[in-house]
Amino acid sequence: LPRALLGLYEMGLWDANDLAPLAYEARITAKKYARERCVVPGRVVAMLWDGFRSWRDWGTWSVEGMSWEQVWYKYETQILEEMCVLDSEDEEEE
């Protein structure tokens, strides 16, 4: 599904703001599916690890993973960092 959503964006049929919630839901669904297929001890360990990472990174305990706002912030920050790196590389070439 995420590749299909990317294809819709590249074709100009949908805007990124329209596709982002769908991509988030696809991410959550894929995670839940993987957890359900896992044996119980693995599922518990994965939930504990998610809770710890959430607490470490965001200050709140959540075994469900990142919220919509946290995912948006994560990728927004990543894109801005990549843009800064590209800009600095362009300046060095000149």
Side-chain angles (χ1 to χ4, degrees), residues 21-41:
L22 296 174
Y24 175 75
E25 290 300 322
R27 173 189 177 116
I28 295 299
T29 302
K31 184 176 183 177
K32 286 182 180 180
Y33 175 77
R35 294 281 165 80
E36 289 173 1
R37 302 288 296 166
C38 187
V39 294
V40 174

Side-chain angles (χ1 to χ4, degrees), residues 3-71:
R3 289 188 181 139
L5 294 176
L6 183 58
L8 291 173
Y9 174 74
E10 290 173 347
M11 291 172 28
L13 297 175
W14 280 14
D15 186 47
N17 291 330
D18 298 330
L19 294 173
L22 296 174
Y24 175 75
E25 290 300 322
R27 173 189 177 116
I28 295 299
T29 302
K31 184 176 183 177
K32 286 182 180 180
Y33 175 77
R35 294 281 165 80
E36 289 173 1
R37 302 288 296 166
C38 187
V39 294
V40 174
R43 192 179 314 167
V44 171
V45 170
M47 290 174 70
L48 289 172
W49 178 245
D50 276 347
F52 171 74
R53 286 190 313 174
S54 175
W55 175 74
R56 180 190 64 197
D57 297 340
W58 304 101
T60 59
W61 184 272
S62 172
V63 295
E64 297 292 320
M66 292 189 288
S67 69
W68 163 251
E69 292 83 13
Q70 292 168 336
V71 171

